[in-house]
Amino acid sequence: QVHLAESGGGLVQAGGSLRLSCTISGRTFNTHAWFRQTPGKDREFVAAINSGSGGTRYADSVQGRFTISRDNVKNTFYLQMDSLEPEDTAVYYCAARGGPMTTVHILYVDWGQGIQVTVSS
């Protein structure tokens, strides 16, 4: 049974940093990704990484501030979030798929439960 579990969320002041982790059990995937969602809005792509090549892709809104990485031995991937802004406040979800990277959330089948990140001004 596949299970994705996020950790590392919380409350931080603007300009601060947080690191999210997503540990996967049950299988390995080609693509690992992070999305986020605020009330009343669609789930928004944040970042993705190819677990083999390490190639990455970022949303324009987080480029240069967030870094996605992975540890294939631990089957865990991360989202380092620096220079956080109040607009980054959301529930963050990790996701994984066997196919190539995509920003389209409906193409991801396996998801974590979500974790709250709140950035105060």
Side-chain angles (χ1 to χ4, degrees):
Q1 184 175 357
V2 177
H3 183 64
L4 283 70
E6 299 106 339
S7 61
L11 172 65
V12 65
Q13 288 188 330
S17 299
L18 282 174
R19 189 176 83 152
L20 304 181
S21 300
C22 180
T23 299
I24 303 173
S25 58
R27 63 161 288 186
T28 58
F29 293 91
N30 185 64
T31 297
H32 302 154
W34 290 96
F35 289 79
R36 64 188 183 187
Q37 190 169 23
T38 54
K41 293 189 177 180
D42 286 340
R43 201 160 290 189
E44 174 192 19
F45 171 78
V46 175
I49 187 167
N50 180 293
S51 63
S53 69
T56 58
R57 184 172 180 177
Y58 294 93
D60 289 343
S61 59
V62 307
Q63 180 77 49
R65 300 188 298 121
F66 290 10
T67 304
I68 189 170
S69 61
R70 89 286 190 215
D71 183 332
N72 289 340
V73 173
K74 296 181 179 179
N75 213 13
T76 298
F77 63 108
Y78 307 94
L79 185 68
Q80 177 66 42
M81 304 184 293
D82 298 319
S83 301
L84 282 160
E85 303 168 353
E87 293 73 22
D88 295 316
T89 296
V91 176
Y92 284 71
Y93 296 89
C94 63
R97 67 190 303 260
M101 281 192 282
T102 176
T103 64
V104 181
H105 67 87
I106 62 172
L107 296 180
Y108 289 82
V109 175
D110 293 286
W111 291 86
Q113 78 282 2
I115 192 163
Q116 180 70 45
V117 170
T118 302
V119 184
S120 62
S121 57

